[in-house]
């Protein structure tokens, strides 16, 4: 199956001689919107295209979603297609799973991803496993989505990163969006996929603005995204940390480094081709993630790289993760919990010594 | 406790009428009054006493707990139906007995939960359903599968872990599924099937109201007394009532959750009473009597099909064997077991249909023989079926195997025959 590496115009820093220049962006009219609007656009298009697509979650209907991703959809599609549920995550997630096994394609929203911890039973036992334990008889084409990650002083329970908890569940796919363009594309791809897909959004990225194509497009769930090609070091990241990385990249470029930045996007499975090709070129890897250090996506990614690309490494893989602490409320403490651009710069300098 | 009498199952006025009195949540009170007016405080209306000396309520009442006869169940049972009910229950019993044998002979493994004694509930409900209706079960699911139409050989092969099993050997005893027969599980954790059942019912309503299909499919969720203390039960009662989903919640109250007596675990042991607080009619029925179960089931299923919403049916029943084949079953009182054995649903139905000349002794014997042969054949089939090959290991993990991702060479992993042979590396 031929794959083309896609260079996506990114929302922050771009390499000077990138093939996607400002002029080529102008030649495609496109339209500007914010990330949450891009998610909604993708969702709305899929709901128009396929009447079996429906939304289930708390305050998704009349309230329009706590981050406005489903705003206006209940008015357009009705209360049954955009279903306001009581506060019962485990049960309405299970309900979505049962509905998907009997012909519908629900998009289940966790008002905050952390709330889906209450649905762990259904996500692990039923969502991940039922296609297998039924011997392939039933498919579970659900999308489970919601905002997660560390926000601005939201407190420990609203600042969780569930990707590390869900990654071991067999049968589940996980993707993380980071730009309006990939948000819409991944939403559509996740809905069309016959696999259960968890789409991780980030609380702090909903208001990012970008110009996205007018024409219909769907991104590949299993592919990573090349943000900035480079020669010296491969920086693997996803979600909000992409922006900290690109901020660090500006400083690194000024210091004469040439980092290659890849937004891995597919948290499970990893796109070993894009990642591998990069490592074969640069021989140095830095992973920057928002997960906690212990058992996070970075930990798995490190293992996968060692398994597959050990011979290409000139230095040990470095991984910058959040501290293994419940996210504190105080602003200063919270800032020290997650990886900041200065740390990324220092890590690259050390890696490239 | 008096032995089962055929007269007890002859209601003297239409059940539907009595049922409607139960159906409004605000009429739940009369049932309690009737209970008390029958002269017994519910805790002492019985002769059974636990080992600890506390009185145990044995709910052997009719649908309405006074002694008034309710409608005529006789008219509803034809000879043909009688034979169908008998055959289904005998199939369930023989199959489970064979499972016990096979387990002790080392042909099936793990946790196996047998249904002996509870056949009236499965037969009473499931034989009323169409092929399109959905059944959601628990780990005690072999007989639900059989009643729904899954061939005995497919269930037996699944239990033997063979690739010809209904789930290709990947599910096992606690995970029976059949797309063809609309059997969704088989779930190992209690309660986790109830939301799935609620989802299946939601699908039915969605298809009718959004997709404008001619759909009135009903879902039946089976679960036990232990589950009724679990949050998922209450959350789903709420949602099903809220959206008037076409579902029937059937509680197979066999009084024991492994070694935990229902009365030690539950503040108010009358489970049927938990429906009305959610706006759902609650009905209690003698689950050892297939004809009574069937009458209640008819009404509950019809109610769901009409679009009037869910019903909670508590079937008082009993499992003759332990919780599973690994359970030494030391806590249950032998008197209690003896009392329920005397109400064996198969013996009961047999006595009834013979007394009322619905069928002949020889017809029943023919069924017994047929089932014996069927079950033997199922064992032979399972025995001679192949075990799953290594290449089956990674099949069915994903509906779309692209989910295994892209390998270092740029190709999807699922296109690599080395990968699909089932290595642990991903």
């Amino acid at each position: 199956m031929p794959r083309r590496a896609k260079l996506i115009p990114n929302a922050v820093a771009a390499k000077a001689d990138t093939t996607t220049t400002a002029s080529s962006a102008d030649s495609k009219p496109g339209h500007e919107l914010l990330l949450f609007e891009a998610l909604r656009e993708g969702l709305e298009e899929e709901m128009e295209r396929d009447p079996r697509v429906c939304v289930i979650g708390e305050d998704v209907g009349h309230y329009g979603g706590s981050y406005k991703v489903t705003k206006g959809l209940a008015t357009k599609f009705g209360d049954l297609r955009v279903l306001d549920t009581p506060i019962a995550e485990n049960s309405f997630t299970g309900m979505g799973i049962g509905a998907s096994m009997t012909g519908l394609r629900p998009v289940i929203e966790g008002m905050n991803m952390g709330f889906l911890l209450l649905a762990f039973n259904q996500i692990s036992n039923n969502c991940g496993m039922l296609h297998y334990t039924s011997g392939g008889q039933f498919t579970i084409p659900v999308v489970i989505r919601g905002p997660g990650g560390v926000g601005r002083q939201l407190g420990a329970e609203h600042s969780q990163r569930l990707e590390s908890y869900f990654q071991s569940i067999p049968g589940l796919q996980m993707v993380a969006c980071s730009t309006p363009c990939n948000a819409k594309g991944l939403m559509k791809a996740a809905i069309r996929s016959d696999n259960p897909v968890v789409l991780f959004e980030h609380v702090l990225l909903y208001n990012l603005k970008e110009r996205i194509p007018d024409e219909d497009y769907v991104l590949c769930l299993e592919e990573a995204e090349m943000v900035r090609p480079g020669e010296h070091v491969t920086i693997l990241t996803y979600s909000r940390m992409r922006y900290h990385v690109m901020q660090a990249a500006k400083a690194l470029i000024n210091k004469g480094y040439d980092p290659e930045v890849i937004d891995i996007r597919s948290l499970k499975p990893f796109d070993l081709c894009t990642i591998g090709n990069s490592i074969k070129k640069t021989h140095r890897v830095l992973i920057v993630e928002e997960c906690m250090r212990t058992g996070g996506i970075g930990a798995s990614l490190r293992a996968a790289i060692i398994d597959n690309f050990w011979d290409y490494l000139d230095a040990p893989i470095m991984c910058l993760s959040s501290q293994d602490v419940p996210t504190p409320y105080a602003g200063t403490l919270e800032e020290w919990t997650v990886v900041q651009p200065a740390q990324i710069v220092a890590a690259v300098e050390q890696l490239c010594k | 406790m008096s032995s089962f009498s055929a007269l007890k199952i002859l209601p003297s006025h239409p059940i539907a009428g009595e049922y409607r009195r139960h159906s409004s949540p605000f009429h739940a009170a009369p049932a309690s009054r009737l209970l008390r007016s029958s002269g017994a405080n519910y805790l002492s209306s019985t002769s059974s006493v636990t080992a600890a000396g506390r009185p145990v309520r044995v709910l052997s009442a009719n649908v309405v707990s006074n002694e008034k006869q309710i409608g005529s169940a006789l008219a509803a049972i034809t000879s043909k139906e009688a034979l169908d009910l008998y055959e289904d229950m005998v199939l369930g019993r023989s199959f489970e007995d064979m499972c016990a044998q096979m387990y002790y002979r080392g042909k099936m493994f793990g946790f196996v939960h047998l249904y002996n004694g509870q056949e009236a509930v499965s037969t009473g409900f499931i034989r009323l359903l169409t092929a399109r209706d959905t059944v959601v079960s628990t780990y005690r699911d072999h007989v639900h599968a059989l009643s729904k139409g899954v061939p005995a050989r497919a269930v037996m092969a699944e239990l033997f872990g063979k690739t010809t099993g209904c789930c290709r050997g990947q599910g096992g005893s606690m995970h029976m599924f059949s797309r063809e027969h609309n059997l969704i599980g088989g779930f190992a954790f209690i309660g986790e099937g109830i939301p799935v059942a609620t989802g299946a019912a939601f699908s039915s309503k969605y298809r009718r109201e959004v997709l404008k299909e001619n759909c009135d499919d009903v879902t039946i969720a089976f679960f036990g007394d232990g589950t009724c203390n679990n949050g998922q039960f209450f959350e789903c009662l709420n949602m099903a009532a809220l959206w008037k989903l076409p579902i029937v919640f059937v509680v197979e109250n066999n009084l024991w959750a492994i070694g935990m007596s229902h009365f030690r675990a539950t503040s108010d042991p009358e489970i049927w009473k938990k429906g009305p607080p959610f706006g759902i009619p609650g009905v209690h029925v003698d689950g050892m009597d297939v004809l009574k179960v069937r009458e209640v089931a008819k009404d509950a299923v019809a109610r769901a099909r009409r679009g009037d919403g869910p019903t909670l049916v508590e079937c008082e029943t009993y499992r003759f064997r332990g919780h599973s084949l690994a359970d030494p079953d030391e806590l249950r009182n032998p008197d209690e077991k003896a009392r329920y054995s005397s109400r064996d649903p198969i013996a009961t139905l047999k006595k009834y249909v013979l007394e009322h000349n619905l069928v002949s002794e020889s017809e029943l014997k023919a069924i017994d023989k047929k089932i014996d042969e069927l079950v033997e054949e199922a064992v032979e089939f399972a025995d001679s079926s192949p075990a799953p090959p290594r290449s089956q290991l990674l099949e069915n993990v994903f509906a779309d195997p692209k989910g295994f991702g892209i390998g270092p060479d740029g190709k999807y992993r699922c296109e690599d025959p080395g990968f699909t042979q089932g290595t642990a590396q991903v």
Side-chain angles (χ1 to χ4, degrees), chain A residues 51 91 102 131-132 137 195 222, chain B residues 170 203 206 235 393 400 412:
Chain A
S91 291
T102 47
H131 184 69
Y132 193 81
Q137 292 181 84
N195 295 335
E222 296 86 25
Chain B
Q170 289 167 195
S203 245
Y206 188 99
E235 289 173 357
L393 182 65
D400 178 359
Y412 275 98

Side-chain angles (χ1 to χ4, degrees), chain A residues 1 3 51-54 56 80-81 83-86 88 90-92 94-95 97-99 101-104 121-122 125-126 128 130-139 170-173 194-195 220 222-223 269-273 277 280 308-309, chain B residues 134 166-168 170-171 175 177-180 183-184 187 189 192 195-196 198-200 202-203 205-207 209-211 231-232 235-236 238-239 242-243 245 392-393 395-400 402-410 412-413 415 426:
Chain A
M1 197 174 301
R3 283 180 53 248
R52 297 168 303 164
V53 178
C54 55
I56 297 175
L80 211 53
R81 280 193 82 183
L83 187 74
D84 279 324
T85 64
N90 198 28
S91 291
F92 72 67
M95 194 177 98
I97 291 166
M101 293 168 82
T102 47
L104 302 187
N121 180 14
Q122 292 292 337
N125 280 342
N126 289 347
L130 286 188
H131 184 69
Y132 193 81
T133 52
S134 69
Q137 292 181 84
F138 290 97
T139 56
L172 216 57
Q173 269 189 263
D194 280 340
N195 295 335
C220 175
E222 296 86 25
E223 276 183 12
F270 297 131
D271 175 359
L272 293 177
C273 180
N277 287 345
K280 289 174 189 173
N308 290 286
F309 309 114
Chain B
T134 297
C166 55
C167 299
R168 309 181 79 203
Q170 289 167 195
H175 304 283
F177 288 82
S178 168
R179 173 152 220 122
E180 188 192 334
L183 171 74
I184 304 186
F187 292 93
F189 288 17
E192 68 180 354
V196 174
T198 309
F202 176 80
S203 245
K205 181 184 171 89
Y206 188 99
R207 274 185 277 135
E209 294 182 20
V210 176
L211 303 180
Q232 286 167 110
E235 289 173 357
C236 290
N238 179 45
M239 292 196 291
L242 198 57
W243 300 315
L245 299 182
Q392 196 182 306
L393 182 65
E395 289 171 13
N396 310 135
V397 176
F398 291 105
D400 178 359
K402 297 214 295 284
F404 284 117
I406 299 164
D409 59 0
Y412 275 98
R413 279 286 174 67
E415 300 169 277
V426 280

Side-chain angles (χ1 to χ4, degrees), chain A residues 45-184:
Chain A
E45 284 175 17
E46 291 305 299
M47 288 179 80
E48 278 165 0
R49 178 179 175 269
D50 185 346
R52 297 168 303 164
V53 178
C54 55
V55 182
I56 297 175
E58 294 158 9
D59 273 330
V60 294
H62 295 188
Y63 194 74
S66 52
Y67 290 91
K68 300 291 168 248
V69 172
T70 51
K71 186 164 180 219
L73 296 184
T75 315
K76 181 169 177 184
F77 295 109
D79 280 350
L80 211 53
R81 280 193 82 183
V82 187
L83 187 74
D84 279 324
T85 64
I87 304 173
E89 277 79 3
N90 198 28
S91 291
F92 72 67
T93 302
M95 194 177 98
I97 291 166
S100 73
M101 293 168 82
T102 47
L104 302 187
R105 303 186 77 92
V107 176
I108 302 167
E109 172 172 310
M111 187 186 268
N112 182 287
M113 275 308 224
F115 300 169
L116 293 179
L117 286 174
L118 289 146
F120 211 114
N121 180 14
Q122 292 292 337
I123 293 171
S124 167
N125 280 342
N126 289 347
C127 192
M129 293 194 195
L130 286 188
H131 184 69
Y132 193 81
T133 52
S134 69
Q137 292 181 84
F138 290 97
T139 56
I140 327 275
V142 294
V143 177
I144 297 175
R145 51 157 292 271
V150 176
R152 299 244 184 268
Q153 298 188 252
L154 299 180
E157 292 180 16
H158 283 80
S159 309
Q160 299 192 70
R161 286 126 283 160
L162 258 52
E163 56 267 26
S164 57
Y165 304 155
F166 288 158
Q167 66 176 320
S168 291
I169 300 173
L172 216 57
Q173 269 189 263
M174 307 197 306
V175 290
C177 63
S178 51
T179 67
C181 183
N182 66 32
K184 178 176 173 182

Side-chain angles (χ1 to χ4, degrees), chain B residues 46-68:
Chain B
T46 169
S47 56
S48 162
V49 170
T50 60
R54 295 179 65 222
V56 166
R57 180 180 188 200
V58 173
L59 308 170
S60 62
N62 292 331
V63 172
V64 177
S65 325
N66 58 6
E67 292 307 308
K68 227 156 45 120

Side-chain angles (χ1 to χ4, degrees), chain B residues 367-380:
Chain B
I367 289 177
D368 290 341
K369 182 164 183 294
K370 173 180 163 195
I371 294 299
D372 275 342
E373 284 168 7
L374 185 77
V375 174
E376 290 279 352
E377 193 269 328
V379 171
E380 274 162 32

Side-chain angles (χ1 to χ4, degrees), chain B residues 60-222:
Chain B
S60 62
N62 292 331
V63 172
V64 177
S65 325
N66 58 6
E67 292 307 308
K68 227 156 45 120
Q69 305 291 30
I70 325 158
S72 174
L74 246 193
I77 302 297
T78 63
S79 296
K80 187 157 172 288
E81 284 163 343
L83 290 171
D84 179 65
L85 296 179
Y86 181 80
E87 180 170 334
D88 194 57
M89 290 204 287
V90 168
L91 173 59
R93 180 69 58 87
S94 302
F95 188 93
E96 297 292 71
D97 282 340
M98 184 59 82
C99 282
Q101 267 196 61
M102 292 297 114
Y103 189 83
Y104 294 125
R105 281 198 214 169
K107 303 277 193 171
M108 57 178 83
F109 309 92
F111 292 127
V112 178
H113 309 82
L114 299 182
Y115 200 75
N116 300 48
Q118 301 183 195
E119 294 86 0
V121 181
S122 181
T123 299
F125 270 93
I126 301 180
R127 297 312 288 167
L128 287 174
L129 300 178
T130 70
R132 288 173 44 131
D133 293 324
T134 297
V135 165
V136 178
S137 180
T138 65
Y139 47 71
R140 204 177 300 281
D141 55 352
H142 307 169
V143 178
H144 293 145
L146 296 170
S147 294
K148 195 63 171 64
V150 182
R153 46 176 17 207
V155 182
M156 192 62 81
E158 183 62 31
L159 292 167
F160 279 32
K162 301 297 178 81
T163 195
T164 49
C166 55
C167 299
R168 309 181 79 203
Q170 289 167 195
S173 169
M174 300 185 280
H175 304 283
M176 293 290 166
F177 288 82
S178 168
R179 173 152 220 122
E180 188 192 334
H181 301 280
N182 286 307
L183 171 74
I184 304 186
F187 292 93
F189 288 17
I190 58 143
E192 68 180 354
I194 305 179
V196 174
T198 309
F202 176 80
S203 245
S204 174
K205 181 184 171 89
Y206 188 99
R207 274 185 277 135
R208 176 147 66 178
E209 294 182 20
V210 176
L211 303 180
K212 309 289 186 212
E213 288 174 18
N214 193 14
C215 178
D216 60 0
D217 298 340
V218 166
T219 302
I220 313 263
F222 290 97

